[in-house]
Each structure stands twice: as C-alpha cells, then as structure tokens.
Amino acid sequence: QVQLVESGGGLVQPGGSLRLSCSASGRFFDSYVMGWYRQAPGKQRDLVATVTSGGSTNLADSVKGRFTISRDIVKNAVYLQMNTLSPEDTAVYYCNFRFFGDTRDYWGQGTQVTVSS
C-alpha cells in the first residue's frame, strides 16, 4: 500500500503564497503519477496539477502561470507552489497517487487552504 501525508495548508491573504507538500511512504520500482486535487464546499473535486515520476507536468488552466508542481524522486514527494492566491483557490487540497497504468487511486488526508483578507 501507499500512504500519503500532506502538509503546508493554512490561511493566507489574497496575493500571497503557500507551498504544499505530500510524501508517499514506500519504495517504488514502477512509474507513477502524483498530483493535487482540490474541493471547495458544495463543489466537485477538481484536478489541479500532476507530475509523473519521469518529471512530466500538467496544470489546470485555472492555475497556469500561478502554481508550480514539482517532485523529488528520492523522497517520493510532490510539492505544489501556489503563488498569487485568490479567494477562488480556497478549498481542501488532496494529494493523489497512482501507479502508471493502474486504476487504483491513493489519497492523502487533505489540507485546508483558505485565502481571505
């Protein structure tokens, strides 16, 4: 099994920045995809960004130019640098892990990001 531990959420003012971290426990011999999803109250869980173990990244249009996703292969960790935050970014952010070619998703516990003045 893969266990995910998230950290880095909190309260930030509009225009501010936060950095989320997610660490996956275990040793992996196969390729994988890690990413971040977010869910605001009353809304669906949306994909924010993904990064593969090979370093390929994808970002949702709503965060392009503001967010950056990166990974540390040695640490099996993924990071989400969030800049120029706005109230619309307020949500619970969930870390996701999936082995490449597999259908099973692993989820972190979620971390709250609140953007408010």
Side-chain angles (χ1 to χ4, degrees):
Q1 291 186 333
V2 177
Q3 293 178 306
L4 305 176
V5 180
E6 303 178 25
S7 63
L11 175 65
V12 65
Q13 293 182 334
S17 299
L18 284 174
R19 181 178 174 87
L20 305 183
S21 299
C22 177
S23 297
S25 299
R27 298 182 180 90
F28 311 120
F29 301 100
D30 298 320
S31 299
Y32 60 83
V33 181
M34 295 185 71
W36 293 94
Y37 290 71
R38 66 185 181 185
Q39 186 169 23
K43 296 186 177 181
Q44 67 179 20
R45 187 172 298 186
D46 294 325
L47 176 66
V48 177
T50 62
V51 60
T52 69
S53 53
S56 298
T57 61
N58 283 289
L59 296 170
D61 289 340
S62 60
V63 304
K64 286 182 178 178
R66 299 188 298 122
F67 292 10
T68 302
I69 189 169
S70 60
R71 90 280 187 264
D72 187 324
I73 291 295
V74 176
K75 296 181 179 179
N76 293 328
V78 63
Y79 309 96
L80 186 67
Q81 179 65 45
M82 305 184 294
N83 299 323
T84 319
L85 285 163
S86 69
E88 289 70 37
D89 297 313
T90 296
V92 177
Y93 284 69
Y94 296 92
C95 181
N96 173 269
F97 181 102
R98 186 172 68 252
F99 284 108
F100 196 84
D102 201 355
T103 58
R104 180 176 179 179
D105 285 306
Y106 298 86
W107 295 96
Q109 80 280 8
T111 183
Q112 177 71 47
V113 172
T114 302
V115 185
S116 177
S117 61

